[in-house]
Amino acid sequence: MSTVSVRLPYDIKNIIGEQKSIEKESRILIATELYREGEISAGKAAELADMPFEDFIEQLKKRKMKVYSMLGISEAKEEESSAEKYLE
C-alpha cells in the first residue's frame, strides 16, 4: 500500500483530542464520506478505515448515516428517493 502525506493545522489535534489518532480519525472520516457519496461499498470503506466491518457499521450509525442493504448503493438511494416522493 502506498501512503500519502497531508499537512494539517495543529489545531486539528486540539479539536479531535490528544488521545485520538489523527491518522485513524482521518481514515474513518474519508471512508465514511466516500461511502456516503456512493463511491465505495461498506466493505471497502471498512477496509480503508482499517477496522472490522461490524465496527465500521457502528461508526456509520454513530454518525447517523444510512446503512444500505445488499442492494447496490445507487439502487437503495433510488428506492429511498421514490419513497420520499410518495410521502410528500
Side-chain angles (χ1 to χ4, degrees), residues 1 4 8 10 17 34 39 52 59 61-62 73-74 76-77 83:
M1 172 190 339
V4 176
L8 300 170
Y10 188 77
L34 289 171
E39 296 295 323
Q59 285 293 322
K61 290 177 183 177
K62 189 168 117 178
I73 292 172
S74 60
K77 285 183 179 179

Side-chain angles (χ1 to χ4, degrees), residues 29-47:
L29 287 170
I30 291 167
T32 55
E33 184 60 16
L34 289 171
Y35 172 78
R36 186 189 66 77
E37 291 179 357
E39 296 295 323
I40 57 175
S41 68
K44 181 64 176 176
E47 184 182 316

Side-chain angles (χ1 to χ4, degrees), residues 11-70:
D11 289 350
I12 288 177
K13 187 68 173 171
N14 295 330
I15 294 167
I16 68 166
E18 291 293 324
Q19 63 277 31
K20 291 185 180 178
S21 161
I22 289 176
E23 179 183 352
K24 178 139 184 80
E25 291 300 308
S26 298
R27 291 173 73 109
I28 293 169
L29 287 170
I30 291 167
T32 55
E33 184 60 16
L34 289 171
Y35 172 78
R36 186 189 66 77
E37 291 179 357
E39 296 295 323
I40 57 175
S41 68
K44 181 64 176 176
E47 184 182 316
L48 290 176
D50 193 27
M51 59 191 339
F53 181 78
E54 295 79 15
D55 292 349
F56 182 74
I57 296 302
E58 288 304 313
Q59 285 293 322
L60 294 177
K61 290 177 183 177
K62 189 168 117 178
R63 289 170 164 73
K64 298 183 180 7
M65 294 175 68
K66 296 192 185 244
V67 179
Y68 296 103
S69 68
M70 296 302 280

